[in-house]
Amino acid sequence: MTIMDMLGQSSVLTVLGMGIVFGFLVIMVIAVTLMGKVVHALGADKDVTQPPRPQGGQLAAGASTAKSTAVAAAIAAAVTEYQKNVEGGKHA
């Protein structure tokens, strides 16, 4: 068997192997897509841990204001603590 024969066989095996892998990936993408559609059709993709959102997609005004106030207070406390540490020379 000559070098050219071996190169021919190796290229055929390479193309065959790559074709099999490509075919498997195509089948896998189709299967995942179909499973996603089935799960969506059954309604199993809904997150049951979160409460349902009100119609219109907006939070109640009181909940939104309380949440933003709590976030602002936490940020202000963190900045104050950071400034104390930096001025006191405790910052590494």
Side-chain angles (χ1 to χ4, degrees):
M1 183 173 261
T2 65
I3 297 275
M4 293 307 289
D5 290 337
M6 284 193 247
L7 286 174
Q9 277 187 340
S10 64
S11 60
V12 167
L13 286 174
T14 300
V15 170
L16 181 66
M18 291 170 70
I20 290 172
V21 170
F22 181 75
F24 174 75
L25 290 175
V26 167
I27 291 170
M28 191 171 66
V29 166
I30 291 170
V32 168
T33 304
L34 289 175
M35 285 300 294
K37 288 182 181 182
V38 168
V39 167
H40 183 69
L42 294 175
D45 58 344
K46 304 289 188 252
D47 190 4
V48 294
T49 59
Q50 294 181 352
R53 286 189 163 182
Q55 295 294 338
Q58 296 178 352
L59 293 173
S64 177
T65 304
K67 187 175 182 180
S68 63
T69 303
V71 169
I75 292 172
V79 168
T80 303
E81 187 68 26
Y82 176 76
Q83 288 174 345
K84 277 196 252 181
N85 287 343
V86 169
E87 291 171 1
K90 295 179 186 176
H91 188 260

